[in-house]
Short mmCIF file of all heavy atoms in Angstrom, two decimals:
data_model
loop_
_atom_site.label_atom_id
_atom_site.label_comp_id
_atom_site.label_asym_id
_atom_site.label_seq_id
_atom_site.Cartn_x
_atom_site.Cartn_y
_atom_site.Cartn_z
N ARG A 160 15.32 5.63 15.31
CA ARG A 160 15.53 5.41 16.74
C ARG A 160 14.30 5.82 17.54
O ARG A 160 13.54 6.71 17.13
CB ARG A 160 16.74 6.23 17.21
CG ARG A 160 18.05 5.83 16.52
CD ARG A 160 19.13 6.84 16.77
NE ARG A 160 20.39 6.45 16.13
CZ ARG A 160 21.40 7.29 15.88
NH1 ARG A 160 21.30 8.57 16.25
NH2 ARG A 160 22.50 6.85 15.30
N VAL A 161 14.15 5.18 18.70
CA VAL A 161 13.02 5.50 19.57
C VAL A 161 13.01 6.97 19.94
O VAL A 161 11.94 7.60 20.04
CB VAL A 161 13.07 4.62 20.84
CG1 VAL A 161 11.98 5.04 21.83
CG2 VAL A 161 12.91 3.14 20.48
N ALA A 162 14.19 7.58 20.10
CA ALA A 162 14.27 8.99 20.48
C ALA A 162 13.69 9.90 19.41
O ALA A 162 13.38 11.07 19.69
CB ALA A 162 15.72 9.37 20.75
N GLU A 163 13.50 9.40 18.19
CA GLU A 163 12.96 10.19 17.08
C GLU A 163 11.45 9.99 16.91
O GLU A 163 10.88 10.45 15.92
CB GLU A 163 13.69 9.83 15.79
CG GLU A 163 15.16 10.24 15.83
CD GLU A 163 16.03 9.44 14.89
OE1 GLU A 163 15.56 8.43 14.33
OE2 GLU A 163 17.20 9.84 14.72
N ARG A 164 10.83 9.33 17.85
CA ARG A 164 9.42 8.97 17.73
C ARG A 164 8.54 10.17 17.42
O ARG A 164 7.74 10.14 16.48
CB ARG A 164 8.95 8.29 19.02
CG ARG A 164 7.46 7.96 19.06
CD ARG A 164 7.08 7.30 20.37
NE ARG A 164 5.71 6.85 20.37
CZ ARG A 164 4.68 7.60 20.78
NH1 ARG A 164 4.88 8.84 21.24
NH2 ARG A 164 3.44 7.11 20.74
N GLU A 165 8.63 11.22 18.20
CA GLU A 165 7.74 12.36 18.01
C GLU A 165 7.98 13.03 16.66
O GLU A 165 7.04 13.45 15.98
CB GLU A 165 7.91 13.37 19.15
CG GLU A 165 7.50 12.85 20.51
CD GLU A 165 6.08 12.35 20.55
OE1 GLU A 165 5.20 13.00 19.91
OE2 GLU A 165 5.81 11.31 21.19
N LEU A 166 9.23 13.13 16.25
CA LEU A 166 9.55 13.71 14.94
C LEU A 166 8.91 12.88 13.84
O LEU A 166 8.27 13.42 12.92
CB LEU A 166 11.06 13.76 14.75
CG LEU A 166 11.54 14.18 13.35
CD1 LEU A 166 11.22 15.65 13.09
CD2 LEU A 166 13.04 13.92 13.20
N LEU A 167 9.03 11.55 13.93
CA LEU A 167 8.52 10.68 12.88
C LEU A 167 7.00 10.65 12.87
O LEU A 167 6.39 10.56 11.80
CB LEU A 167 9.09 9.28 13.04
CG LEU A 167 10.60 9.18 12.78
CD1 LEU A 167 11.14 7.83 13.21
CD2 LEU A 167 10.91 9.45 11.31
N ILE A 168 6.37 10.74 14.05
CA ILE A 168 4.91 10.83 14.08
C ILE A 168 4.47 12.08 13.32
O ILE A 168 3.52 12.04 12.52
CB ILE A 168 4.40 10.86 15.54
CG1 ILE A 168 4.56 9.48 16.18
CG2 ILE A 168 2.94 11.31 15.59
CD1 ILE A 168 4.25 9.45 17.66
N GLY A 169 5.15 13.19 13.55
CA GLY A 169 4.83 14.41 12.82
C GLY A 169 5.04 14.26 11.33
O GLY A 169 4.23 14.74 10.52
N TRP A 170 6.11 13.59 10.93
CA TRP A 170 6.37 13.37 9.51
C TRP A 170 5.29 12.48 8.89
O TRP A 170 4.85 12.74 7.77
CB TRP A 170 7.75 12.75 9.32
CG TRP A 170 8.88 13.73 9.46
CD1 TRP A 170 8.79 15.04 9.82
CD2 TRP A 170 10.26 13.45 9.24
NE1 TRP A 170 10.04 15.61 9.83
CE2 TRP A 170 10.96 14.66 9.48
CE3 TRP A 170 10.99 12.32 8.88
CZ2 TRP A 170 12.34 14.76 9.36
CZ3 TRP A 170 12.37 12.41 8.76
CH2 TRP A 170 13.04 13.61 8.99
N PHE A 171 4.89 11.42 9.60
CA PHE A 171 3.82 10.55 9.09
C PHE A 171 2.53 11.36 8.91
O PHE A 171 1.83 11.20 7.90
CB PHE A 171 3.59 9.39 10.04
CG PHE A 171 4.35 8.14 9.70
CD1 PHE A 171 5.71 8.19 9.41
CD2 PHE A 171 3.72 6.91 9.68
CE1 PHE A 171 6.42 7.05 9.09
CE2 PHE A 171 4.42 5.75 9.37
CZ PHE A 171 5.78 5.82 9.07
N GLU A 172 2.22 12.20 9.87
CA GLU A 172 1.00 13.01 9.77
C GLU A 172 1.10 13.98 8.59
O GLU A 172 0.14 14.17 7.84
CB GLU A 172 0.78 13.76 11.07
CG GLU A 172 0.38 12.86 12.23
CD GLU A 172 0.32 13.60 13.55
OE1 GLU A 172 0.81 14.75 13.61
OE2 GLU A 172 -0.21 13.03 14.53
N ASP A 173 2.27 14.58 8.40
CA ASP A 173 2.46 15.50 7.27
C ASP A 173 2.36 14.75 5.94
O ASP A 173 1.77 15.26 4.97
CB ASP A 173 3.81 16.20 7.38
CG ASP A 173 3.88 17.18 8.53
OD1 ASP A 173 2.81 17.55 9.07
OD2 ASP A 173 5.00 17.58 8.92
N PHE A 174 2.93 13.56 5.91
CA PHE A 174 2.83 12.76 4.69
C PHE A 174 1.38 12.41 4.39
O PHE A 174 0.91 12.55 3.26
CB PHE A 174 3.66 11.47 4.83
CG PHE A 174 3.54 10.54 3.66
CD1 PHE A 174 4.30 10.72 2.53
CD2 PHE A 174 2.65 9.46 3.69
CE1 PHE A 174 4.18 9.86 1.44
CE2 PHE A 174 2.52 8.59 2.62
CZ PHE A 174 3.30 8.80 1.49
N GLY A 175 0.66 11.98 5.42
CA GLY A 175 -0.75 11.64 5.24
C GLY A 175 -1.57 12.81 4.76
O GLY A 175 -2.52 12.64 3.98
N ALA A 176 -1.22 14.02 5.20
CA ALA A 176 -1.94 15.22 4.76
C ALA A 176 -1.63 15.56 3.31
O ALA A 176 -2.45 16.17 2.61
CB ALA A 176 -1.60 16.39 5.66
N GLU A 177 -0.44 15.17 2.83
CA GLU A 177 -0.04 15.50 1.46
C GLU A 177 -0.60 14.53 0.43
O GLU A 177 -0.87 14.92 -0.70
CB GLU A 177 1.49 15.52 1.34
CG GLU A 177 2.14 16.74 1.99
CD GLU A 177 3.62 16.82 1.67
OE1 GLU A 177 4.10 16.04 0.80
OE2 GLU A 177 4.31 17.65 2.27
N VAL A 178 -0.71 13.25 0.80
CA VAL A 178 -1.16 12.25 -0.17
C VAL A 178 -2.67 12.12 -0.08
O VAL A 178 -3.29 12.44 0.93
CB VAL A 178 -0.49 10.89 0.08
CG1 VAL A 178 1.01 11.00 -0.06
CG2 VAL A 178 -0.87 10.31 1.44
N ALA A 179 -3.25 11.63 -1.16
CA ALA A 179 -4.72 11.58 -1.24
C ALA A 179 -5.27 10.18 -1.05
O ALA A 179 -6.39 9.91 -1.41
CB ALA A 179 -5.17 12.13 -2.60
N VAL A 180 -4.46 9.27 -0.49
CA VAL A 180 -4.92 7.89 -0.30
C VAL A 180 -4.89 7.54 1.18
O VAL A 180 -4.24 8.21 1.98
CB VAL A 180 -4.03 6.90 -1.09
CG1 VAL A 180 -4.20 7.11 -2.57
CG2 VAL A 180 -2.58 7.03 -0.70
N ASP A 181 -5.61 6.46 1.53
CA ASP A 181 -5.60 5.98 2.90
C ASP A 181 -4.18 5.62 3.30
O ASP A 181 -3.47 4.92 2.57
CB ASP A 181 -6.46 4.72 3.03
CG ASP A 181 -7.94 4.99 2.87
OD1 ASP A 181 -8.34 6.15 3.09
OD2 ASP A 181 -8.68 4.07 2.52
N PHE A 182 -3.76 6.09 4.47
CA PHE A 182 -2.43 5.77 4.96
C PHE A 182 -2.47 5.72 6.47
O PHE A 182 -3.02 6.61 7.12
CB PHE A 182 -1.40 6.81 4.49
CG PHE A 182 -0.01 6.54 4.99
CD1 PHE A 182 0.71 5.47 4.49
CD2 PHE A 182 0.56 7.34 5.97
CE1 PHE A 182 1.98 5.20 4.97
CE2 PHE A 182 1.84 7.08 6.44
CZ PHE A 182 2.55 6.01 5.94
N HIS A 183 -1.88 4.67 7.03
CA HIS A 183 -1.93 4.44 8.47
C HIS A 183 -0.89 5.35 9.15
O HIS A 183 0.30 5.05 9.16
CB HIS A 183 -1.62 2.97 8.75
CG HIS A 183 -2.10 2.51 10.10
ND1 HIS A 183 -1.60 1.40 10.73
CD2 HIS A 183 -3.04 3.01 10.94
CE1 HIS A 183 -2.19 1.22 11.89
NE2 HIS A 183 -3.07 2.19 12.03
N THR A 184 -1.35 6.47 9.72
CA THR A 184 -0.44 7.49 10.26
C THR A 184 -0.42 7.52 11.78
O THR A 184 0.16 8.43 12.36
CB THR A 184 -0.85 8.89 9.76
OG1 THR A 184 -2.17 9.19 10.22
CG2 THR A 184 -0.81 8.96 8.24
N SER A 185 -1.01 6.55 12.44
CA SER A 185 -1.15 6.62 13.89
C SER A 185 0.20 6.48 14.58
O SER A 185 1.15 5.89 14.03
CB SER A 185 -2.08 5.51 14.38
OG SER A 185 -1.43 4.25 14.30
N PRO A 186 0.30 7.01 15.81
CA PRO A 186 1.53 6.80 16.59
C PRO A 186 1.87 5.32 16.75
O PRO A 186 3.05 4.96 16.77
CB PRO A 186 1.20 7.46 17.93
CG PRO A 186 0.22 8.53 17.59
CD PRO A 186 -0.62 7.94 16.49
N ASP A 187 0.85 4.47 16.87
CA ASP A 187 1.11 3.03 16.99
C ASP A 187 1.85 2.50 15.76
O ASP A 187 2.71 1.62 15.88
CB ASP A 187 -0.19 2.26 17.17
CG ASP A 187 -0.80 2.45 18.55
OD1 ASP A 187 -0.08 2.96 19.43
OD2 ASP A 187 -1.98 2.10 18.74
N ALA A 188 1.49 3.02 14.59
CA ALA A 188 2.15 2.57 13.37
C ALA A 188 3.62 2.96 13.39
O ALA A 188 4.50 2.17 12.99
CB ALA A 188 1.47 3.18 12.14
N VAL A 189 3.92 4.16 13.86
CA VAL A 189 5.31 4.60 13.96
C VAL A 189 6.05 3.76 14.99
O VAL A 189 7.18 3.30 14.74
CB VAL A 189 5.38 6.09 14.32
CG1 VAL A 189 6.83 6.52 14.57
CG2 VAL A 189 4.77 6.94 13.21
N ASP A 190 5.45 3.53 16.14
CA ASP A 190 6.09 2.73 17.18
C ASP A 190 6.43 1.33 16.66
O ASP A 190 7.54 0.81 16.90
CB ASP A 190 5.17 2.60 18.40
CG ASP A 190 5.01 3.90 19.16
OD1 ASP A 190 5.87 4.80 19.01
OD2 ASP A 190 4.02 4.04 19.91
N ARG A 191 5.46 0.73 15.97
CA ARG A 191 5.70 -0.62 15.46
C ARG A 191 6.84 -0.65 14.46
O ARG A 191 7.70 -1.53 14.50
CB ARG A 191 4.41 -1.16 14.80
CG ARG A 191 4.58 -2.49 14.08
CD ARG A 191 3.29 -2.93 13.41
NE ARG A 191 2.78 -1.94 12.49
CZ ARG A 191 3.20 -1.79 11.24
NH1 ARG A 191 4.19 -2.54 10.77
NH2 ARG A 191 2.66 -0.88 10.44
N ARG A 192 6.89 0.34 13.58
CA ARG A 192 7.89 0.33 12.53
C ARG A 192 9.28 0.69 13.06
O ARG A 192 10.29 0.21 12.54
CB ARG A 192 7.46 1.25 11.39
CG ARG A 192 6.13 0.80 10.78
CD ARG A 192 5.77 1.51 9.51
NE ARG A 192 6.54 1.00 8.39
CZ ARG A 192 6.29 1.29 7.12
NH1 ARG A 192 5.27 2.07 6.82
NH2 ARG A 192 7.04 0.80 6.16
N ILE A 193 9.33 1.50 14.10
CA ILE A 193 10.62 1.72 14.76
C ILE A 193 11.09 0.42 15.40
O ILE A 193 12.26 0.02 15.28
CB ILE A 193 10.52 2.84 15.81
CG1 ILE A 193 10.30 4.19 15.13
CG2 ILE A 193 11.80 2.89 16.66
CD1 ILE A 193 10.05 5.33 16.11
N ALA A 194 10.17 -0.26 16.08
CA ALA A 194 10.53 -1.49 16.80
C ALA A 194 10.99 -2.59 15.85
O ALA A 194 11.92 -3.35 16.18
CB ALA A 194 9.34 -1.97 17.63
N ASP A 195 10.35 -2.70 14.68
CA ASP A 195 10.74 -3.80 13.79
C ASP A 195 11.81 -3.40 12.77
O ASP A 195 12.18 -4.19 11.91
CB ASP A 195 9.52 -4.41 13.10
CG ASP A 195 8.78 -3.45 12.16
OD1 ASP A 195 9.37 -2.43 11.75
OD2 ASP A 195 7.61 -3.73 11.84
N GLY A 196 12.32 -2.17 12.88
CA GLY A 196 13.44 -1.75 12.06
C GLY A 196 13.12 -1.51 10.61
O GLY A 196 14.01 -1.59 9.74
N THR A 197 11.86 -1.18 10.30
CA THR A 197 11.48 -0.98 8.90
C THR A 197 11.32 0.49 8.52
O THR A 197 10.75 0.80 7.48
CB THR A 197 10.17 -1.73 8.59
OG1 THR A 197 9.13 -1.28 9.46
CG2 THR A 197 10.36 -3.23 8.75
N LEU A 198 11.85 1.39 9.35
CA LEU A 198 11.93 2.80 8.98
C LEU A 198 13.39 3.18 8.84
O LEU A 198 14.19 3.02 9.78
CB LEU A 198 11.26 3.70 10.03
CG LEU A 198 9.74 3.70 10.08
CD1 LEU A 198 9.26 4.66 11.15
CD2 LEU A 198 9.13 4.05 8.73
N HIS A 199 13.75 3.68 7.66
CA HIS A 199 15.13 4.08 7.38
C HIS A 199 15.20 5.60 7.33
O HIS A 199 14.42 6.24 6.61
CB HIS A 199 15.59 3.48 6.05
CG HIS A 199 15.60 1.98 6.05
ND1 HIS A 199 16.74 1.24 6.24
CD2 HIS A 199 14.59 1.08 5.91
CE1 HIS A 199 16.45 -0.05 6.21
NE2 HIS A 199 15.14 -0.17 6.00
N VAL A 200 16.12 6.14 8.07
CA VAL A 200 16.30 7.59 8.15
C VAL A 200 17.59 7.98 7.45
O VAL A 200 18.61 7.28 7.55
CB VAL A 200 16.35 8.03 9.64
CG1 VAL A 200 16.93 9.43 9.79
CG2 VAL A 200 14.96 7.95 10.26
N TRP A 201 17.52 9.09 6.70
CA TRP A 201 18.76 9.69 6.18
C TRP A 201 19.16 10.80 7.14
O TRP A 201 18.35 11.67 7.45
CB TRP A 201 18.58 10.24 4.77
CG TRP A 201 19.91 10.58 4.15
CD1 TRP A 201 20.53 11.80 4.13
CD2 TRP A 201 20.79 9.67 3.48
NE1 TRP A 201 21.74 11.71 3.50
CE2 TRP A 201 21.94 10.41 3.08
CE3 TRP A 201 20.74 8.32 3.18
CZ2 TRP A 201 23.00 9.83 2.40
CZ3 TRP A 201 21.80 7.73 2.50
CH2 TRP A 201 22.92 8.49 2.11
N GLU A 202 20.38 10.71 7.62
CA GLU A 202 20.89 11.67 8.60
C GLU A 202 21.98 12.53 7.96
O GLU A 202 22.89 12.01 7.33
CB GLU A 202 21.45 10.92 9.81
CG GLU A 202 22.06 11.81 10.87
CD GLU A 202 22.70 11.00 11.98
OE1 GLU A 202 21.95 10.34 12.73
OE2 GLU A 202 23.94 11.00 12.09
N ASP A 203 21.88 13.82 8.13
CA ASP A 203 22.88 14.75 7.61
C ASP A 203 23.23 15.73 8.72
O ASP A 203 22.34 16.37 9.29
CB ASP A 203 22.33 15.50 6.39
CG ASP A 203 23.37 16.42 5.76
OD1 ASP A 203 24.56 16.34 6.13
OD2 ASP A 203 22.98 17.22 4.88
#
Side-chain angles (χ1 to χ4, degrees):
R160 299 167 179 162
V161 174
E163 294 156 350
R164 176 180 186 270
E165 296 303 321
L166 173 68
L167 293 169
I168 288 173
W170 283 5
F171 266 48
E172 290 173 347
D173 291 345
F174 176 83
E177 286 189 10
V178 300
V180 294
D181 291 337
F182 179 71
H183 200 201
T184 62
S185 73
D187 287 347
V189 174
D190 290 340
R191 173 182 56 83
R192 300 190 77 169
I193 291 174
D195 64 19
T197 58
L198 286 181
H199 298 261
V200 164
W201 192 265
E202 178 185 292
D203 184 10

